[in-house]
Amino acid sequence: MVKYVFITGGVLSSVGKGIMTSSIGKMLQVRGCRVSTVKIDPYVNVDAGTMNPYMHGEVFVTDDGGETDLDLGHYERFLDINLPKFNNITTGQVYASVIEKERKGEYLGQCVQIIPHVTDEVKRRIRTAAKMAGCDVLLVEIGGTVGDIEGLPFLEAARQLKLEEAPGDALFVHVALVPILNATKEQKSKPCQHSVQEMRRIGIQPDIIVARCRYPLEEDVKRKISLFGSVPIEAVFTSYDAENIYQVPQNLDMQGMGDYVSKRLGICSEKADWAGWKGIVEKFTGPRRVVRIAMCGKYTKLEDSYVSITEALHHAAAQVGVKTELDWIEATRFERDPSEVKVLDDYDGIMVLPGFGARGTEGKIMAINYARTKNRPFLGICFGFQLAVVEFARNVLGLTGANTTEVDPSTQHPVIDLLPEQKSIGMMGGTMRLGGYKVILKDGSLANKLYGVKEVIERHRHRYEVNPKYWESFQKAGLVFSGHSEDMRRVEFLELPSHPFFLGTQSHPEFRSRPGNPSPPYYGFIEASAKVQKRN
Ligand code: GLN
């Protein structure tokens, strides 16, 4: 029998529900429970794939090719599980199903309404996710903030689900901000109280309240939240700022949250065994030598745009025994003033980030040229890989004006071009080459050495690829294509043997990186960058 934990948020968005959901999962996992997670996103898009990462944060790609919310990335990293795309439920998907059923005549005679038809579809999806995972506990994070109109049908569905399950089989955990006033340094509980009231107004009494606060809650503030939130004082916890996100599960467990949740659900009687996780987390904290990385991209104003990449770099750094300092560099800056490229000299490694469209590409190509000619460790991911091909074409092969047809459709030298199967695609949503595909690595190459095996699976999200017409010229000039798709029709990795560390990949290895088990390309990149610094 599956138990359900719903996680809701109050006061403001980005209050840390994703980390909270992951942390509850971890607390149950270390007690021997099988957990899985679902993220509900109340927006009308069918998936996150058609949204600008600058608005919404990174698009996280699952093994089965879903373009999902970045919180699925947190769940996968904290819980070391691979989630299917089904576990990201959106308003768009729910309505698409309901409308399809209506057209098929499955509701014949009825007036189709939010309650019960939409809420039934939400509950069906939640229960199916639990069944597919075969888990003991399904954690369901409801995105947005209580009070949002869009979120209401989902909260209503959750309320009904709790009613339908056996008593005690579903719990509500409400996470709300407790701000600290600058002037008086006081922790203010009123916004949190109001958000609990908002929950009750729609018929949900939280079972547990977690205050998101810079510091642990003071006793009297905790008491107030317990009294006005109508939960026992032992059900009030604080998710306080941590040096590293991976410490949050233990910070909560030390307050008794893991025991409380398992007691309330009547499961996981095993004693918590933190040994494995603790060993991983320790590597992320304490003083370590700093390695500076230049992150060249387009959506650099919002760190969430690249959260899997920053996490993959942190995983790698923790394993190498250093700490990364990431500087976000808008590539357009080099286009405005080419002499600015010399700022890259201050960095131990240079990354060129994934992306779409023309803006900033010339600047990224300048950064790649700098890394290649100055022997600076370089890692190019997806668009960064494609632009490394463009840079090499222009400056080594002498193909003036070489480009990707994404940026210049009429280029004389389309070294990066649309995948053949992409040429006839008109619908934009969910039609890229998406998800996990096998990559065959060339014997003895850097990629092969880093992975330690010949075949790997990495996730993908692209429409363009290295044009096969140019493969031979590149390889003759010394660029090694060290990874291919299984059918040998696509280039997946490139490297330069004459360079200390120059690696690019069409794939997104960051999506499979885990704390304690970093992605090999990221590990190699940080290790090489750390060596640069030693030499300086
Ligand atoms: N825009 C490129 C493509 O579609 C790269 C995509 C990416 O970096 N994820 O192929």
Side-chain angles (χ1 to χ4, degrees):
M1 255 225 310
V2 189
K3 315 259 174 168
Y4 297 90
V5 178
F6 291 97
I7 294 92
T8 57
V11 182
L12 37 82
S13 59
S14 306
V15 75
K17 292 191 300 294
I19 304 294
M20 191 63 204
T21 305
S22 308
S23 299
I24 298 174
K26 198 80 223 171
M27 287 185 268
L28 295 173
Q29 228 180 27
V30 299
R31 288 171 167 78
C33 253
R34 285 169 306 164
V35 295
S36 190
T37 47
V38 160
K39 172 74 192 288
I40 289 178
D41 281 304
Y43 47 67
V44 183
N45 302 60
V46 169
D47 61 38
T50 49
M51 267 185 277
N52 184 339
Y54 192 55
M55 305 268 303
H56 177 260
E58 158 189 289
V59 176
F60 184 78
V61 180
T62 54
D63 261 342
D64 66 353
E67 296 178 285
T68 68
D69 185 76
L70 59 84
D71 279 319
L72 271 82
H74 288 311
Y75 309 155
E76 289 204 350
R77 290 186 284 270
F78 273 78
L79 303 173
D80 196 15
I81 51 177
N82 288 322
L83 293 166
K85 60 182 164 196
F86 190 81
N87 289 26
N88 190 187
I89 304 174
T90 66
T91 295
Q93 291 166 20
V94 171
Y95 274 80
S97 301
V98 170
I99 292 169
E100 193 188 321
K101 280 186 198 157
E102 188 275 335
R103 290 290 82 186
K104 280 189 188 154
E106 286 181 30
Y107 305 117
L108 268 191
Q110 296 177 48
C111 168
V112 181
Q113 293 183 299
I114 294 184
I115 305 173
H117 304 100
V118 167
T119 47
D120 279 352
E121 175 60 19
V122 174
K123 288 183 287 178
R124 186 191 69 79
R125 283 175 178 259
I126 292 172
R127 290 190 169 111
T128 307
K131 211 172 286 160
M132 278 164 44
C135 55
D136 304 314
V137 181
L138 184 74
L139 303 155
V140 183
E141 176 187 345
I142 302 180
T145 312
V146 55
D148 296 347
I149 291 177
E150 295 180 325
L152 274 174
F154 294 102
L155 289 165
E156 170 59 19
R159 187 191 71 80
Q160 293 174 12
L161 192 141
K162 182 175 182 177
L163 202 64
E164 290 160 9
E165 296 296 316
D169 278 1
L171 280 186
F172 278 91
V173 178
H174 186 63
V175 188
L177 182 78
V178 170
I180 297 179
L181 284 191
N182 253 348
T184 58
K185 305 278 179 278
E186 247 183 307
Q187 297 178 339
K188 305 302 279 182
S189 68
K190 192 72 64 131
C192 170
Q193 292 176 36
H194 279 168
S195 75
V196 175
Q197 270 167 26
E198 188 62 29
M199 292 282 288
R200 284 204 292 247
R201 205 177 58 77
I202 53 176
I204 300 171
Q205 167 63 52
D207 300 286
I208 292 171
I209 299 175
V210 181
R212 177 75 186 88
C213 187
R214 204 171 322 144
Y215 305 109
L217 283 191
E218 282 152 22
E219 225 18 64
D220 59 323
V221 182
K222 207 167 157 179
R223 223 171 297 124
K224 243 192 231 167
I225 291 177
S226 150
L227 181 66
F228 291 102
S230 208
V231 300
I233 190 136
E234 56 286 4
V236 182
F237 305 97
T238 324
S239 173
Y240 50 88
D241 286 5
E243 183 188 339
N244 188 279
I245 52 171
Y246 299 114
Q247 291 171 316
V248 177
Q250 282 168 281
N251 290 353
L252 290 159
D253 201 52
M254 280 186 299
Q255 299 168 51
M257 188 170 181
D259 286 338
Y260 188 80
V261 173
S262 26
K263 193 180 83 197
R264 285 292 302 264
L265 291 172
I267 40 151
C268 322
S269 47
E270 282 177 36
K271 227 178 126 280
D273 176 9
W274 283 105
W277 185 250
K278 225 166 143 181
I280 291 171
V281 175
E282 269 161 13
K283 293 196 174 142
F284 284 82
T285 50
R288 287 166 291 153
R289 201 160 54 80
V290 169
V291 171
R292 300 190 71 212
I293 306 294
M295 308 285 282
C296 306
K298 182 159 81 162
Y299 307 110
T300 55
K301 284 207 192 75
L302 181 72
E303 273 194 40
D304 264 1
S305 309
Y306 302 109
V307 56
S308 290
I309 290 181
T310 54
E311 286 309 308
L313 289 167
H314 292 152
H315 302 163
Q319 211 70 10
V320 173
V322 296
K323 193 180 193 153
T324 47
E325 191 179 294
L326 310 179
D327 273 355
W328 302 91
I329 299 178
E330 274 289 330
T332 43
R333 175 174 163 190
F334 304 145
E335 297 171 7
R336 279 194 299 270
D337 179 1
S339 71
E340 289 259 315
V341 179
K342 65 177 184 299
V343 299
L344 294 176
D345 207 41
D346 293 342
Y347 296 91
D348 305 312
I350 298 169
M351 259 201 92
V352 175
L353 300 163
F356 294 84
R359 189 170 69 82
T361 48
E362 289 303 318
K364 290 181 194 173
I365 291 170
M366 288 155 88
I368 295 164
N369 178 263
Y370 190 92
R372 184 176 61 78
T373 55
K374 303 277 190 225
N375 281 333
R376 208 46 65 97
F378 165 78
L379 182 61
I381 302 293
C382 206
F383 203 37
F385 155 90
Q386 296 174 355
L387 295 179
V389 171
V390 172
E391 193 279 327
F392 197 89
R394 289 185 190 174
N395 301 319
V396 180
L397 299 185
L399 303 176
T400 315
N403 216 328
T404 157
T405 51
E406 177 178 1
V407 174
D408 179 5
S410 54
T411 170
Q412 292 277 303
H413 303 292
V415 289
I416 303 289
D417 198 7
L418 269 184
L419 293 157
E421 64 270 32
Q422 286 286 334
K423 295 205 165 144
S424 56
I425 282 176
M427 296 270 272
M428 295 306 275
T431 54
M432 285 188 236
R433 180 170 180 249
L434 288 168
Y437 285 100
K438 202 183 266 181
V439 176
I440 314 293
L441 302 173
K442 191 178 166 137
D443 254 343
S445 63
L446 170 65
N448 177 213
K449 281 185 201 138
L450 287 171
Y451 280 95
V453 287
K454 265 207 78 175
E455 288 184 14
V456 294
I457 304 241
E458 290 294 6
R459 300 183 192 172
H460 296 74
R461 183 171 187 250
H462 65 119
R463 289 190 201 281
Y464 295 81
E465 66 174 352
V466 184
N467 189 341
K469 283 189 211 138
Y470 293 88
W471 285 10
E472 213 186 311
S473 336
F474 280 118
Q475 309 214 58
K476 273 194 188 139
L479 189 64
V480 171
F481 292 147
S482 52
H484 288 86
S485 59
E486 207 176 4
D487 57 11
M488 297 305 280
R489 281 178 50 225
R490 314 176 200 294
V491 181
E492 292 275 11
F493 275 89
L494 66 74
E495 55 193 73
L496 275 177
S498 54
H499 189 286
F501 189 95
F502 193 95
L503 188 69
T505 175
Q506 183 63 79
S507 68
H508 290 266
E510 62 274 12
F511 293 135
R512 289 183 138 239
S513 185
R514 303 282 158 89
N517 188 15
S519 160
Y522 285 85
Y523 180 86
F525 173 60
I526 292 296
E527 194 185 41
S529 303
K531 278 190 197 135
V532 170
Q533 209 190 29
K534 264 189 215 144
R535 216 176 43 223
N536 283 346

